[in-house]
Amino acid sequence: MFFASDNSGPVPPQVLDALNRANDGHSMAYGADALTDQVTQQIRTLFEAPEAAVHLVATGTAANALALATLCQPFDTVFCSPIAHIHEDECNAPEFYTGGAKLTLVPGTDRMTPDALRSAIKTQGNRGVHGPRRGPVSITQVTEQGNLYDLDTLRALTTVAQHYGLSVHLDGARFANACVALNCTPAEMTWKVGIDVAVFGGTKNGLMGVEAVIFFDPALAREFELRRKRGAHLFSKHRYLAAQMAAYLQDDLWRRLAETANARSARLLAGLTSRADIRNEAAPT
Amino acid sequence: MFFASDNSGPVPPQVLDALNRANDGHSMAYGADALTDQVTQQIRTLFEAPEAAVHLVATGTAANALALATLCQPFDTVFCSPIAHIHEDECNAPEFYTGGAKLTLVPGTDRMTPDALRSAIKTQGNRGVHGPRRGPVSITQVTEQGNLYDLDTLRALTTVAQHYGLSVHLDGARFANACVALNCTPAEMTWKVGIDVAVFGGTKNGLMGVEAVIFFDPALAREFELRRKRGAHLFSKHRYLAAQMAAYLQDDLWRRLAETANARSARLLAGLTSRADIRNEAAPT
Amino acid sequence: MFFASDNSGPVPPQVLDALNRANDGHSMAYGADALTDQVTQQIRTLFEAPEAAVHLVATGTAANALALATLCQPFDTVFCSPIAHIHEDECNAPEFYTGGAKLTLVPGTDRMTPDALRSAIKTQGNRGVHGPRRGPVSITQVTEQGNLYDLDTLRALTTVAQHYGLSVHLDGARFANACVALNCTPAEMTWKVGIDVAVFGGTKNGLMGVEAVIFFDPALAREFELRRKRGAHLFSKHRYLAAQMAAYLQDDLWRRLAETANARSARLLAGLTSRADIRNEAAPT
Amino acid sequence: MFFASDNSGPVPPQVLDALNRANDGHSMAYGADALTDQVTQQIRTLFEAPEAAVHLVATGTAANALALATLCQPFDTVFCSPIAHIHEDECNAPEFYTGGAKLTLVPGTDRMTPDALRSAIKTQGNRGVHGPRRGPVSITQVTEQGNLYDLDTLRALTTVAQHYGLSVHLDGARFANACVALNCTPAEMTWKVGIDVAVFGGTKNGLMGVEAVIFFDPALAREFELRRKRGAHLFSKHRYLAAQMAAYLQDDLWRRLAETANARSARLLAGLTSRADIRNEAAPT
């Protein structure tokens, strides 16, 4: 996975073909089209979650910020790693969308440990009304440094969160790369290990700009829709987002793209000799 | 102009071709690509504004909300018509992006009159620190009911705003339709009549989803960029927005699409017999 | 009631005496003191609401804005009269505290009619995800122009709200004046006619600066406390707010002050001859 | 200085006397009274800053959050210590008032070092539009652990900030204790060492609840006033805040109260034997 090129390479021809096909005739606006319906059903099937609420947005930052806003009150704090994309690379978008919630950085590396998370949550609870209330936990998989959480660690992290009644968000900008590297299903990497809301990213894995936000408990769906519109992220011609996602899902394109990227990344890594050289790459085993 | 179909019809083949061409090889992410540069220059030329700051976003609501946020403090109020899109159809996006500014509805129809605007601004200034401070004026051209402001009226409105030191935003979701109907240039409909920030809409005139926000005074450009990123509206693969806009600008496609739409709308209107039938249509003369 | 002087006259000696008494010895900070407990119980008794959540703040704007924020999502709209204090005189505080909710002005005078309210709510619901969601109804009693809602009208208004599942906020900056003028109890003017959250104002009726916010359903209490702290309205030396309120409640001082004010206002009115003269006064009968 | 009792002890009799005196006759509301004018002038004289904008609020959190909001854009980050009151004890009030700015915690103890601050600022600037923009530096004097910055260190910190064009906020909840401990003047501890905005705290040093926010450059005064009103922190009966502050300034009461508190704290410290025992106390030398 050569991260520097995640956003700079071309999209696969299947995506352009899908846009061409979606361009045939008229369809309903704002996501009320047949293609959006189809994609929603496909994602539910892929995630083995027939009741899930599924929504598409065009950027990963929108996916994360809207998901967190739906899980979080403005007087809460989100728990994440010190180098989480939501902290370092979104120009305060989570703070904006949540109405001013704080991000609490769990000490350690890009991979939070369950112990460090528990400790951070405990500490945060000591200040009563003076400190923010504990809010959701946000996990990035693959991490910003290209590392993976294995399924047991994910389960351990969500167990800590659940112990304190906190929900869990998965920033899956590189969801597909993780699934391939772990050789697991999307369900196994999300709700089966206790994830409440997952971002199923497409943009860093070949799409022009589409991410799916998946709420395994659909109760939050309507609020998400209102927040998405308020955030100016509801596309009038939503079918062109849906078309990209449809291509991504067709014949497991998402998985095949990730397999290629992971293999390339592994080859790159094999040829590198120092830690300094591999800045920006990942090595899913 | 059959408004019901603005968002439901296909995009012209030139747009898909442009996406195909943009898909050749690698390019820089986040708007640092050559195509974005080219489009910026083309829009500056089209608007006869060589210093203008030009930024692309994917939705009209984002264009409006971000533009207003850049012109407005959270303790201000925006002046607009009672049926302005920013008031009725953006689910509080302007309030969100401005940090809680108010919208003051200028009494009257979809077309504000200079007198009504002046009166609303005067009234608003009577409350000192208790009421919101006066903020920008927002004008929609073509209006939400398909009506046009002529250039003299635009000038009269901006003169009122300038008298009170207020800036002026133009919601140009149907910018091209207005230019064609008024048989004027983009410059004549914007900075030459005193508009400070214009939205040059593409989505309702054939694009998949691209709007250009144009600041004729570039001093606000950096803030806009930070606000766009914070709002999650900076596309990593920005070249696919730029490609659509490039096609839109090539050989005046924007103008030709609007000519066709306006002509169709006029024919439709000619065949209609009652007011009830023409709900949702416009008749630029 | 000479409104111009509401905020300019002296406070009654009982209030200063109470501050003196509260100044004896040490007590717990941030509202954990015995006086705050006592006042909470007294207000519950006064309002015949043993379960109510009661919180003190120092300004009427804080009381209103925090109450609305607790009832309202940022993608909602509040329904109020066109001259509501929350709209005209709070410099966007409701928009700020709610995170950007909109205020929908119910056409008419300072006194909303049930029909106008119903019509405004209906209209607001027509835009799906594009318009804001319907939020709480806010009623001011005594109104900003010194008029009263009788109990039947209050009940009719809350019935409309309840029909649409909306909660009701009472801006009671002049709560005491209304109770006296209507010769009713606090319970009769609030939860018995369907009010969900009432502001029991003290500042405009003799206190230095204390308002009680009363949630008849205590489920929102914890959120209110967090929002109050986040809004910087939790006083460390909370006992001095409680002391003022204790004096206000002692021997029905609140009622006696309002009786005096109402009588003075009636005398003033009796001596006035034109409508122009009575701007700023009220005439509770 | 026995911090546990900062908010729990009685106020000195001079403060109650001042409230009594302020209660004589009528005066203008919302800070347009003579006492507020007088206090403004006195503070300007005390700080040797004849042009300063001076505003009173009732809580320290309001003072800090409003000051930061005036210095900071929502896409900025504030630099502060990891245990700053604004980070740990204000329930996201700074995030709320700034519209979602981030707090960047400068690694180290309660006392930021100039090197650590420079390093944090440098790091923050590496992410272009992806990270937040650099915003103001916030210094707490006396710190939350009762430690002091000497004047040279304050100067060194503001020099770092100025090098990067950043403004500096001083959280002076215990301003008086610091002035006494350092044996310096208010001017020497603020603008003479490069502080842009200082909070001159009264609440933790004997007042019921008053803090002065002092902008040495008055250009931000009007915005502060609008933000204060929007935050619901403008008191209608502002004279009772002014009266407390007037008592505080009269015959250097503020200094005498701090001298007493510091002496008591020193005696306490002298009698303590372990680090664990002195949690919550301070030892200005």
Side-chain angles (χ1 to χ4, degrees):
Chain A
M1 204 172 345
F2 180 40
F3 284 1
S5 73
D6 278 0
N7 293 313
S8 55
V11 306
Q14 295 94 324
V15 174
L16 284 165
D17 291 348
L19 288 176
N20 267 292
R21 281 196 306 275
N23 203 38
D24 181 25
H26 283 63
S27 65
M28 298 295 286
Y30 296 111
D33 58 284
L35 202 49
T36 297
D37 264 0
Q38 171 199 314
V39 160
T40 300
Q41 290 304 335
Q42 286 176 296
I43 289 179
R44 286 173 174 159
T45 301
L46 177 64
F47 279 81
E48 307 166 38
E51 306 293 328
V54 177
H55 295 295
L56 304 184
V57 293
T59 72
T61 297
N64 287 333
L66 284 164
L68 288 171
T70 309
L71 298 176
C72 189
Q73 290 278 9
F75 41 78
D76 287 351
T77 190
V78 176
F79 297 90
C80 64
S81 100
I83 65 155
H85 195 272
I86 60 169
H87 176 59
E88 292 211 320
D89 287 300
E90 301 189 349
C91 197
N92 298 353
E95 288 88 346
F96 179 38
Y97 275 85
T98 59
K102 193 185 284 292
L103 305 191
T104 292
L105 307 181
V106 177
T109 67
D110 58 324
R111 276 188 288 202
M112 289 187 288
T113 67
D115 281 349
L117 176 61
R118 183 183 303 108
S119 170
I121 295 173
K122 271 189 186 170
T123 301
Q124 192 55 48
N126 284 343
R127 308 194 83 83
V129 77
H130 301 285
R133 203 181 61 174
R134 296 154 171 166
V137 175
S138 177
I139 301 171
T140 313
Q141 173 82 317
V142 183
T143 76
E144 293 76 8
Q145 294 186 333
N147 292 311
L148 282 165
Y149 291 97
D150 60 32
L151 297 184
D152 285 348
T153 306
L154 288 178
R155 167 55 79 189
L157 288 167
T158 66
T159 300
V160 171
Q162 286 162 3
H163 177 76
Y164 291 98
L166 311 181
S167 56
V168 183
H169 159 255
L170 187 78
D171 175 353
R174 297 192 177 87
F175 190 101
N177 305 92
C179 262
V180 165
L182 293 176
N183 194 25
C184 70
T185 68
E188 285 168 352
M189 203 171 77
T190 55
W191 65 267
K192 289 190 174 177
V193 289
I195 303 294
D196 295 293
V197 180
V199 176
F200 178 60
T203 312
K204 287 187 191 297
N205 194 34
L207 300 189
M208 287 184 178
V210 186
E211 315 274 310
V213 185
I214 306 164
F215 289 89
F216 298 106
D217 172 354
L220 295 170
R222 183 65 181 166
E223 177 173 341
F224 184 91
E225 286 189 84
L226 287 156
R227 288 190 180 274
R228 179 176 60 174
K229 174 68 188 178
R230 186 177 80 115
H233 285 286
L234 175 59
F235 275 53
S236 55
K237 301 185 180 179
H238 191 272
R239 62 193 173 280
Y240 298 109
L241 297 188
Q244 294 180 59
M245 184 53 76
Y248 196 58
L249 296 169
Q250 179 72 33
D251 302 328
D252 280 347
L253 178 62
W254 64 274
R255 185 176 276 277
R256 289 182 290 128
L257 290 168
E259 285 166 352
T260 304
N262 287 10
R264 189 188 315 133
S265 167
R267 283 198 306 277
L268 270 169
L269 265 184
L272 295 172
T273 53
S274 80
R275 181 69 199 156
D277 289 340
I278 59 172
R279 195 168 171 271
N280 281 330
E281 282 100 10
T285 52
Chain B
M1 206 171 344
F2 180 41
F3 283 1
S5 73
D6 278 0
N7 294 314
S8 54
V11 306
Q14 295 95 324
V15 174
L16 284 164
D17 290 349
L19 289 176
N20 268 291
R21 281 196 305 276
N23 203 37
D24 182 24
H26 283 62
S27 66
M28 298 295 286
Y30 297 109
D33 57 285
L35 202 50
T36 297
D37 264 0
Q38 172 200 313
V39 160
T40 298
Q41 290 304 336
Q42 286 177 298
I43 289 179
R44 286 173 174 160
T45 302
L46 177 64
F47 279 79
E48 307 167 40
E51 306 293 330
V54 177
H55 294 294
L56 305 183
V57 293
T59 73
T61 296
N64 286 333
L66 284 164
L68 288 171
T70 309
L71 298 176
C72 190
Q73 290 278 10
F75 41 77
D76 288 350
T77 189
V78 176
F79 297 91
C80 64
S81 101
I83 64 154
H85 195 273
I86 59 169
H87 176 59
E88 291 210 321
D89 288 300
E90 301 189 349
C91 197
N92 299 353
E95 289 87 348
F96 179 39
Y97 275 85
T98 59
K102 193 185 285 291
L103 305 190
T104 292
L105 307 181
V106 177
T109 67
D110 57 325
R111 274 187 291 200
M112 288 187 288
T113 66
D115 281 349
L117 176 61
R118 184 183 302 107
S119 171
I121 294 173
K122 271 190 185 170
T123 301
Q124 191 55 50
N126 284 343
R127 307 194 83 84
V129 76
H130 301 286
R133 202 180 62 173
R134 295 153 171 167
V137 175
S138 177
I139 301 172
T140 314
Q141 172 83 318
V142 184
T143 76
E144 293 76 9
Q145 295 186 333
N147 292 311
L148 282 165
Y149 292 97
D150 60 34
L151 296 184
D152 285 348
T153 306
L154 288 177
R155 167 55 79 189
L157 289 167
T158 66
T159 300
V160 171
Q162 286 163 4
H163 176 76
Y164 291 98
L166 311 181
S167 57
V168 184
H169 159 255
L170 187 80
D171 176 352
R174 296 192 177 88
F175 190 101
N177 305 92
C179 262
V180 164
L182 293 176
N183 194 26
C184 70
T185 67
E188 285 168 352
M189 202 170 78
T190 55
W191 65 267
K192 289 190 176 177
V193 289
I195 302 294
D196 296 293
V197 181
V199 175
F200 178 60
T203 312
K204 287 186 191 296
N205 193 35
L207 300 188
M208 288 184 178
V210 186
E211 316 274 308
V213 185
I214 306 165
F215 290 88
F216 297 106
D217 172 354
L220 295 170
R222 183 66 181 166
E223 177 173 340
F224 184 91
E225 285 188 84
L226 287 155
R227 288 190 181 274
R228 179 176 60 174
K229 174 68 189 178
R230 186 178 79 117
H233 286 285
L234 175 59
F235 275 52
S236 55
K237 300 185 180 179
H238 190 272
R239 61 193 174 280
Y240 298 110
L241 297 188
Q244 294 181 58
M245 184 52 77
Y248 195 57
L249 296 170
Q250 179 72 34
D251 301 327
D252 281 346
L253 179 61
W254 64 274
R255 184 176 276 279
R256 291 182 288 126
L257 290 169
E259 284 166 353
T260 305
N262 287 10
R264 189 189 314 134
S265 167
R267 284 199 305 277
L268 269 170
L269 265 185
L272 294 173
T273 54
S274 79
R275 181 71 197 153
D277 289 341
I278 60 172
R279 194 167 173 274
N280 281 330
E281 281 99 11
T285 51
Chain C
M1 207 172 342
F2 180 41
F3 284 1
S5 74
D6 277 0
N7 293 314
S8 54
V11 307
Q14 295 93 324
V15 174
L16 284 164
D17 291 349
L19 289 176
N20 267 292
R21 280 196 305 277
N23 203 39
D24 182 24
H26 283 63
S27 64
M28 298 294 287
Y30 296 110
D33 57 284
L35 203 49
T36 298
D37 265 0
Q38 172 200 312
V39 161
T40 299
Q41 291 304 336
Q42 285 177 299
I43 289 179
R44 285 172 174 160
T45 301
L46 178 64
F47 279 80
E48 306 166 40
E51 306 294 328
V54 177
H55 296 294
L56 305 183
V57 293
T59 73
T61 296
N64 287 333
L66 284 164
L68 289 170
T70 309
L71 298 176
C72 190
Q73 289 279 8
F75 41 77
D76 288 350
T77 190
V78 176
F79 297 91
C80 64
S81 101
I83 64 154
H85 195 273
I86 59 169
H87 176 60
E88 292 210 320
D89 288 299
E90 301 189 350
C91 197
N92 298 353
E95 288 88 347
F96 178 39
Y97 276 85
T98 58
K102 192 185 283 293
L103 305 191
T104 292
L105 307 181
V106 177
T109 68
D110 58 324
R111 274 187 290 202
M112 289 187 289
T113 66
D115 282 349
L117 176 61
R118 185 183 303 106
S119 171
I121 294 173
K122 270 189 186 169
T123 302
Q124 191 56 48
N126 284 344
R127 308 195 82 84
V129 76
H130 302 286
R133 202 180 62 174
R134 295 154 172 167
V137 176
S138 177
I139 301 172
T140 314
Q141 172 83 318
V142 183
T143 76
E144 293 76 8
Q145 295 186 331
N147 292 311
L148 283 164
Y149 292 97
D150 60 33
L151 296 184
D152 286 348
T153 306
L154 288 177
R155 167 55 79 190
L157 289 167
T158 64
T159 300
V160 171
Q162 286 163 3
H163 177 76
Y164 292 98
L166 311 182
S167 57
V168 184
H169 159 255
L170 188 78
D171 175 353
R174 297 191 177 89
F175 190 100
N177 305 93
C179 263
V180 164
L182 293 175
N183 194 25
C184 70
T185 68
E188 286 167 351
M189 202 169 78
T190 54
W191 64 267
K192 290 190 174 176
V193 289
I195 303 294
D196 296 292
V197 180
V199 176
F200 178 60
T203 312
K204 287 186 191 296
N205 193 35
L207 299 188
M208 288 184 178
V210 186
E211 316 274 309
V213 185
I214 305 165
F215 289 87
F216 297 107
D217 172 354
L220 296 169
R222 183 65 181 165
E223 177 174 341
F224 184 91
E225 285 188 85
L226 287 156
R227 288 189 180 274
R228 179 176 60 173
K229 175 68 189 177
R230 186 178 80 117
H233 286 286
L234 175 59
F235 275 52
S236 55
K237 300 185 180 178
H238 191 272
R239 60 193 174 279
Y240 299 110
L241 297 188
Q244 294 181 58
M245 184 53 77
Y248 196 58
L249 295 169
Q250 179 71 33
D251 302 327
D252 281 346
L253 178 60
W254 64 274
R255 184 176 277 279
R256 291 182 288 127
L257 290 169
E259 285 167 352
T260 304
N262 287 10
R264 188 189 316 134
S265 168
R267 283 199 305 277
L268 269 170
L269 264 185
L272 293 172
T273 53
S274 79
R275 180 72 198 154
D277 290 341
I278 59 171
R279 195 164 174 274
N280 281 330
E281 282 100 10
T285 50
Chain D
M1 206 172 343
F2 180 41
F3 284 2
S5 73
D6 277 2
N7 293 313
S8 54
V11 307
Q14 295 94 324
V15 174
L16 284 165
D17 291 348
L19 288 176
N20 267 291
R21 281 196 306 277
N23 203 38
D24 181 24
H26 284 62
S27 66
M28 299 295 287
Y30 296 111
D33 57 284
L35 201 50
T36 298
D37 265 0
Q38 171 201 312
V39 161
T40 299
Q41 290 304 335
Q42 287 176 297
I43 289 178
R44 286 172 175 160
T45 301
L46 177 64
F47 279 79
E48 306 166 40
E51 306 293 329
V54 177
H55 295 295
L56 305 183
V57 293
T59 72
T61 297
N64 287 333
L66 283 164
L68 289 171
T70 308
L71 298 176
C72 189
Q73 290 278 9
F75 42 77
D76 288 350
T77 190
V78 176
F79 297 91
C80 64
S81 101
I83 65 154
H85 195 272
I86 59 170
H87 176 59
E88 291 210 321
D89 288 300
E90 301 188 350
C91 198
N92 299 353
E95 288 88 347
F96 179 39
Y97 275 85
T98 58
K102 192 185 284 292
L103 305 191
T104 292
L105 307 181
V106 177
T109 68
D110 57 325
R111 274 187 291 201
M112 289 187 288
T113 67
D115 282 349
L117 175 61
R118 183 184 302 106
S119 170
I121 294 173
K122 270 189 186 170
T123 301
Q124 191 54 51
N126 284 342
R127 308 195 82 85
V129 76
H130 301 286
R133 202 180 62 174
R134 295 154 171 166
V137 174
S138 178
I139 301 171
T140 313
Q141 172 82 318
V142 182
T143 76
E144 293 76 7
Q145 294 186 334
N147 292 311
L148 283 164
Y149 292 96
D150 60 33
L151 297 185
D152 286 346
T153 306
L154 288 178
R155 167 56 79 189
L157 289 167
T158 66
T159 299
V160 171
Q162 286 163 4
H163 176 76
Y164 291 97
L166 311 182
S167 57
V168 183
H169 159 255
L170 187 78
D171 176 353
R174 296 191 178 88
F175 190 101
N177 305 92
C179 262
V180 164
L182 293 176
N183 194 26
C184 70
T185 67
E188 285 167 352
M189 203 170 78
T190 55
W191 64 267
K192 289 189 175 177
V193 289
I195 303 294
D196 296 292
V197 181
V199 175
F200 178 59
T203 312
K204 286 187 190 298
N205 193 34
L207 300 188
M208 288 183 178
V210 186
E211 315 275 309
V213 185
I214 305 165
F215 290 87
F216 297 106
D217 172 353
L220 296 170
R222 183 66 181 166
E223 176 173 340
F224 184 91
E225 285 188 84
L226 287 155
R227 289 189 180 274
R228 179 177 60 175
K229 174 70 188 177
R230 186 177 79 116
H233 286 286
L234 175 59
F235 275 53
S236 56
K237 300 185 180 178
H238 191 271
R239 60 193 174 281
Y240 298 110
L241 297 187
Q244 294 181 58
M245 184 54 77
Y248 195 58
L249 296 169
Q250 180 71 36
D251 301 327
D252 282 346
L253 179 61
W254 64 275
R255 185 176 278 278
R256 290 182 287 128
L257 290 169
E259 285 166 352
T260 304
N262 287 10
R264 189 187 314 133
S265 168
R267 282 199 305 277
L268 270 170
L269 264 184
L272 295 173
T273 53
S274 81
R275 181 70 198 155
D277 289 341
I278 59 172
R279 196 168 172 271
N280 282 328
E281 282 97 13
T285 51

